[in-house]
Amino acid sequence: VSSSPSLVPSTTADLLPSASPSPAAIAAALEDWNREMPAASVSIDPDVLRALSRDYAPLCPAGTPAALIRPSSTDEVSTALRIAHRHRIPVVPQGARTGMSGGANALDGCLLLSLERMKRILAIDTLEQTGTVQPGVVNAEFSRAVAEQGLFYPPDPSSWEFSTLGGNAATNAGGLCCVKYGVTADFVRALEVVLADGTVIRTGRSTAKGVAGYDLTRLFTGSEGTLGVITELTLSLRPAAQAPLTAVAFFPRLGAAGAAVTSFMAGGARPSLLELMDRTSIEVVSGYRDFGFPQGTEAALIAQSDAGPQAAREDLARFAECAETQDGEVVIADDPAEGRLLLEARRSVGFATERLGAFLSEDVCVPRARLVELVEGFQGIAAEYRLTTTCCGHAGDGNMHPTLVFDPDDADEVDRAHRAFDRVMELGLGLGGTITGEHGVGVLKREWLARELGPDSLRLQHGLKALFDPTGILNPGKVLTVRQP
Ligand SMILES: Cc1cc2nc3c(=O)[nH]c(=O)nc-3n(C[C@H](O)[C@H](O)[C@H](O)COP(=O)(O)OP(=O)(O)OC[C@H]3O[C@@H](n4cnc5c(N)ncnc54)[C@H](O)[C@@H]3O)c2cc1C
């Protein structure tokens, strides 16, 4: 595969099916929205629109939206879409815009459809062990609410204090606990979705089991706003987990930490968390708070087991053995507060990296056996392109976030970041991995998705998009290119 800095589209013109909507179409849509929707939900304030026009991903183009609608109910979402459909206005659904792939970025002349006002927890059912929520509920708020009922919602992206459950479902978010419990899709039992023309459908089931028909719930989960707008979610819950035990190991080389992960998992381990941080990640979080990391360490592995007091101790003893074989120095956190502090350190890497400059957080997932090659390969790419980088991630899943830091005002550095990004994608695919373990494709990785899937599978994906969104108004140009190659 040849590496080219042009694989990420440079303008939003590449994202729209044809030209942006005409001023007449936008004016007609605005007239209808203003007539049929509550006045407070519609905004055309340019400052507001500009502030909401992009997510967390740099290098991705963002256009100038025509309007913002913040609906409060499914009916209002349906009305907004029906009108957009009538006037062929592209619609970009938005949660908290913490996405890392440009999926929530505006297109020229689009409607931004923010779900942030739909933030009610509708029910927590302890018998069915489910929670039903509107899409704008923030992950951590829901997790805390179900914990009060003795239940547990495992999917926990590092952004859990900010990102919404609707956004988590739309991206099929992963997180720290996924190594044991699975990703968001494993917990989505049913959805209410508004289709492109405003039709409201329900997918999935209210029962513990059910296999009637094709699994549309799974299809919408991870569809990044390109097939429908999620307006309600029923999420499976588990009984509260046992209090976890935590250990941390410090390594003299990044590759040694990767090797410890491989041997630990190969021994049949099922930790509830296994996270890796490289030296720069440790330095960047230590810059804003003392998390107790020793000076000069090249990598840290944080492991948790919630298998119950005795079994967890045995899990961590096996972890210590694997780490020590790789020259790791292991500390068992006897005090639960120490364990929580270590997790806070890991969760802080993303936001702390902002202090270094603009950053592109990658999301490659490889088979666990290739983890060492991934992290060492990334070190080589960072050196070759002379970029500051961090590398942390969900090592137990083989899902790492090699991150490129650059100065957006330095054209040469931006160019090197583009090239390094393409090399990371090549590296991941070359190791038998995927271009995205959890952040999604968005705008950033459309071309790489085509390479990962191959032409036959890609054709089917375009067919699905055309079936659900025949006029192409739903988040066009995201995930798939607007025209079938
Ligand atoms: C510091 C930091 C750490 C992160 N850590 C993780 C991590 O550990 N794991 C992980 O998976 N991700 C992580 N992310 C990425 C991001 O938080 C997730 O992708 C998250 O799921 C996005 O949720 P959101 O509410 O911000 O959605 P947005 O960014 O607003 O939207 C994401 C996508 O979903 C679509 N969308 C949003 N809401 C809806 C809806 N109701 N219906 C249909 N489509 C919708 C949008 O159009 C867009 O394509 C992290 C991000 C940051 C900034």
Side-chain angles (χ1 to χ4, degrees), residues 55-56 92-100 103-104 115 135 156-159 163-164 166-168 170-171 173-176 224-225 228-230 350-351 394 401 438-439 475:
D55 67 11
Y56 252 80
V92 179
Q94 293 188 330
R97 294 182 299 105
T98 65
M100 292 284 205
L115 284 307
D156 61 341
S158 295
S159 58
S163 61
T164 64
N168 292 172
T171 53
L176 280 65
E224 301 185 43
V229 178
I230 299 167
F351 290 114
H394 318 300
H401 298 312
E438 55 181 24
H439 290 170
N475 220 2

Side-chain angles (χ1 to χ4, degrees), residues 163-482:
S163 61
T164 64
L165 292 167
N168 292 172
T171 53
N172 191 7
L176 280 65
C177 292
C178 297
V179 62
K180 177 166 180 180
Y181 293 104
V183 295
T184 303
D186 298 312
F187 292 86
V188 181
R189 195 188 269 199
L191 293 173
E192 179 187 76
V193 178
V194 182
L195 301 179
D197 65 358
T199 305
V200 181
I201 62 160
R202 283 188 174 270
T203 72
R205 55 199 160 79
S206 54
T207 49
K209 295 170 72 183
V211 291
Y214 297 124
D215 190 348
L216 296 187
T217 308
R218 193 86 189 198
L219 181 61
F220 282 113
T221 306
S223 64
E224 301 185 43
T226 62
L227 302 181
V229 178
I230 299 167
T231 46
E232 191 182 294
L233 307 91
T234 298
L235 300 166
S236 296
L237 304 170
R238 294 177 60 101
Q242 306 246 19
L245 283 186
T246 310
V248 59
F250 305 107
F251 294 86
R253 285 178 303 107
L254 182 58
V261 170
T262 310
S263 62
F264 182 43
M265 296 303 288
R270 258 303 166 123
S272 52
L273 179 146
L274 189 55
E275 294 286 314
L276 192 159
M277 293 168 71
D278 75 340
R279 182 172 49 77
T280 338
S281 310
I282 294 169
E283 283 169 2
V284 80
V285 295
S286 302
Y288 100 99
R289 181 170 173 187
D290 182 7
F291 288 103
F293 289 110
Q295 292 276 325
T297 191
E298 283 297 315
L301 266 186
I302 306 169
Q304 276 194 339
S305 171
D306 63 2
Q310 183 55 29
R313 230 164 261 292
E314 287 164 13
D315 282 348
L316 294 191
R318 271 194 298 276
F319 168 72
E321 219 175 280
C322 296
E324 280 160 4
T325 307
Q326 296 296 330
D327 303 322
E329 240 176 74
V330 181
V331 180
I332 307 280
D334 287 323
D335 177 359
E338 283 172 17
R340 284 196 294 275
L341 192 66
L342 282 166
L343 253 65
E344 192 189 326
R346 165 60 190 91
R347 287 189 197 280
S348 305
V349 176
F351 290 114
T353 305
E354 279 185 296
R355 301 169 132 223
L356 300 177
F359 69 94
L360 180 64
S361 175
E362 254 326 300
D363 175 39
V364 178
C365 189
V366 296
R368 290 172 182 137
R370 315 299 296 270
L371 184 64
V372 176
E373 290 165 87
L374 176 67
V375 294
E376 290 185 340
F378 178 62
Q379 282 185 315
I381 293 170
E384 188 181 335
Y385 290 93
R386 293 172 287 114
L387 292 166
T388 302
T389 58
T390 63
C391 187
C392 69
H394 318 300
D397 285 322
N399 183 194
M400 294 301 293
H401 298 312
T403 297
L404 308 162
V405 181
F406 58 94
D407 175 357
D409 298 323
D410 179 337
D412 177 56
E413 220 168 76
V414 171
D415 182 60
R416 279 184 280 130
H418 268 284
R419 289 173 189 280
F421 165 76
D422 284 350
R423 287 285 301 282
V424 176
M425 295 289 94
E426 265 176 36
L427 174 67
L429 287 180
L431 293 173
T434 172
I435 55 165
T436 173
E438 55 181 24
H439 290 170
V441 176
V443 178
L444 195 61
K445 298 183 180 170
R446 304 180 317 167
E447 303 296 337
W448 286 100
L449 177 73
R451 292 173 188 216
E452 178 169 333
L453 294 179
D456 296 332
S457 186
L458 189 65
R459 201 173 314 112
L460 280 176
Q461 303 241 351
H462 276 280
L464 284 170
K465 170 71 176 166
L467 176 68
F468 281 86
D469 181 20
T471 53
I473 62 160
L474 277 177
N475 220 2
K478 312 291 177 65
V479 183
L480 300 172
T481 51
V482 281

